[in-house]
Amino acid sequence: MQNSLEKLSNRALPRSFVLELTRSCNHACMYCYTAWGAQDLNYDAGNQKELTTEEVFTIVSRLQDECPVQTIALSGGEPLLRRDLPEILTFIRGRGIDPMIITNGMLLTPEKVEQTLVGGNYEVTLLSTNPEIHDRLAGCPGAWEAAIDGMVNIRRGGGNLAVAFIATKLNYQDLHHTVELAIALGAYALMYNRLNLGKYNLRFAPILLPSPEMVQENLDTLEEMADKYKLPISISVVCEPCVIDTQRYQHIHFGYCPLAGGDSYFTIDPRGNIRVCNHSPVILGNMLQESFTGIYYNHPYLQKFRQTMPEECNDCKPEWKEVCGGGCKAAAEQCFGNLDHVDPFVTISKGTEKNIPLN
């Protein structure tokens, strides 16, 4: 027992966090997987209040007091809808932390870029070179044109641009030209993620969820482009090795669930509630009232999150289980209500899914 406690107390603390500043959004993305997107998740029902500017400062300070914080990603909803975003960025940067604005790009006017340039780093979603496809996935007419203008404004303003591409059945064939456009717009890095399922977007799975073959085709494209253009490409939504052969790719960084460890990106919602990641619907506590390290080391849910291996993975290759850990546990929890199932992408891809409705 003592050895177990010592091992737990020596667990590295996270260096990165996600701060969801608002639930408000000017898009209605078909692929959205926010914890509050689906009514039946009943996420913090009835509590729409947002943190004040001072409360945001308090939480950032507390995180830094307890953890070796290096980066904080500011998201939502749409973070640019917060009028105090420039103040928040200035405060974070003043604490020696690198902020990243995760945005759909709709509001990145020259004035807004100038106001937020103190942060310096922007991640903007670009879903296609076809405006109709981008706008359909974003659920917002004019979204593509506004995002392009926004990325141009970032470049002119001297900001750092990373582009995020969410792969679906509707846009996976557009990847090559979209990456070329991102490079032309000044992107220094690309994030590629397959659609990650949650309660809200599950209804769109039949028309959106890419097959393993589609993802593999995209990865082949990305491997060539990463080598040709020396473009850093990362994937944060897990590509399970039992579904997709990831060993073929030497120029792509694959991310897997950090299992609430030092590489985790714990997420604080607009009311200060903390979750294990931005996909998880489980509230662990509130950063205005509780210690992060107390939650990190002692919360029973986190112990289960770290240790649970889905039943479907019992016969998996040990080396695959070691790196994959059962896929996205938060996706399984959103769709099934517990951690005991494997990531639904696995079972749907294999045609063995019996327990979740797809309509």
Side-chain angles (χ1 to χ4, degrees), residues 13 39-40 48 76 83 97 129 143 182 185 223 246 254 276 296 315 329 359:
L13 286 160
Q39 289 186 354
D40 49 350
Q48 301 295 322
R83 294 182 179 179
I97 301 169
T129 51
L185 289 167
E223 178 74 3
T246 58
F254 289 91
V276 70
Y296 183 73
D315 298 327
K329 293 185 178 183
N359 295 303

Side-chain angles (χ1 to χ4, degrees), residues 4 32 72 109-110 128 182 194 197 201 219 242 279 298 318-319 326 354:
S4 176
C32 183
I72 293 180
T109 62
S128 177
R194 63 163 175 85
L197 291 173
N201 65 34
L219 294 178
C242 65
H279 199 73
N298 302 315
E319 61 269 27
K354 306 290 183 184

Side-chain angles (χ1 to χ4, degrees), residues 58-84:
T58 297
I59 286 175
V60 171
S61 300
R62 288 184 177 179
L63 287 174
Q64 193 174 39
D65 287 343
E66 297 188 57
C67 302
V69 184
Q70 296 177 355
T71 61
I72 293 180
L74 301 172
S75 72
E78 172 51 55
L80 289 169
L81 289 170
R82 285 277 303 227
R83 294 182 179 179
D84 58 353

Side-chain angles (χ1 to χ4, degrees), residues 17-301:
F17 290 86
V18 176
L19 186 53
E20 296 168 334
L21 292 177
T22 180
R23 294 190 188 192
S24 300
C25 193
N26 49 7
H27 281 189
C29 298
M30 296 174 69
Y31 55 84
C32 183
Y33 57 73
T34 57
W36 55 83
Q39 289 186 354
D40 49 350
L41 278 176
N42 201 36
Y43 181 86
D44 205 23
N47 290 309
Q48 301 295 322
K49 181 182 175 184
E50 294 180 357
L51 297 166
T52 66
T53 309
E54 288 301 323
E55 286 173 333
V56 172
F57 293 172
T58 297
I59 286 175
V60 171
S61 300
R62 288 184 177 179
L63 287 174
Q64 193 174 39
D65 287 343
E66 297 188 57
C67 302
V69 184
Q70 296 177 355
T71 61
I72 293 180
L74 301 172
S75 72
E78 172 51 55
L80 289 169
L81 289 170
R82 285 277 303 227
R83 294 182 179 179
D84 58 353
L85 182 59
E87 297 171 67
I88 292 171
L89 289 165
T90 299
F91 182 81
I92 292 173
R93 181 66 79 184
R95 302 280 298 196
I97 301 169
D98 287 329
M100 168 72 79
I101 302 172
I102 300 178
T103 173
N104 57 44
M106 191 84 175
L107 300 176
L108 284 170
T109 62
E111 296 75 20
K112 188 66 72 173
V113 169
E114 183 179 0
Q115 293 167 7
T116 58
L117 203 58
V118 62
N121 303 308
Y122 303 80
E123 180 187 301
V124 182
T125 306
L126 183 61
L127 301 167
S128 177
T129 51
N130 184 328
E132 291 183 7
I133 292 177
H134 180 103
D135 291 0
R136 181 183 178 188
L137 287 168
C140 180
W144 185 88
E145 184 176 356
I148 297 298
D149 288 345
M151 287 184 272
V152 169
N153 292 333
I154 290 172
R155 184 173 185 176
R156 288 175 175 169
N160 301 314
L161 170 66
V163 164
F165 182 91
I166 315 301
T168 72
K169 283 181 181 177
L170 299 181
N171 69 336
Y172 82 97
Q173 292 180 310
D174 301 337
L175 176 66
H176 188 280
H177 293 308
T178 303
V179 175
E180 289 186 328
L181 177 58
I183 294 171
L185 289 167
Y188 72 89
L190 178 86
M191 178 180 290
Y192 171 93
N193 288 328
R194 63 163 175 85
L195 171 73
N196 202 9
L197 291 173
K199 272 285 188 180
Y200 175 81
N201 65 34
L202 189 61
R203 57 187 165 147
F204 299 122
I207 60 173
L208 290 187
L209 187 67
S211 67
E213 293 75 22
M214 293 174 184
V215 176
Q216 196 97 47
E217 181 181 323
N218 276 177
L219 294 178
D220 290 342
T221 296
L222 292 174
E223 178 74 3
E224 293 178 9
M225 299 189 82
D227 185 34
K228 178 179 179 180
Y229 295 108
K230 309 307 175 189
L231 180 72
I233 296 176
S234 62
I235 296 174
S236 61
V237 173
V238 58
C239 292
E240 289 85 357
C242 65
V243 177
I244 296 170
D245 180 9
T246 58
Q247 294 186 335
R248 296 166 45 181
Y249 308 102
Q250 304 302 311
H251 297 91
I252 303 171
H253 173 74
F254 289 91
Y256 295 92
C257 179
L259 298 176
D263 292 327
S264 297
Y265 47 95
F266 280 78
T267 298
I268 297 96
D269 80 1
R271 292 188 62 246
N273 297 316
I274 190 158
R275 312 193 309 276
V276 70
C277 69
N278 58 348
H279 199 73
S280 174
V282 178
I283 294 174
L284 306 172
N286 190 284
M287 279 300 300
L288 292 175
Q289 296 146 9
E290 301 172 63
S291 157
F292 173 77
T293 50
I295 292 171
Y296 183 73
Y297 289 124
N298 302 315
H299 199 290
Y301 173 84

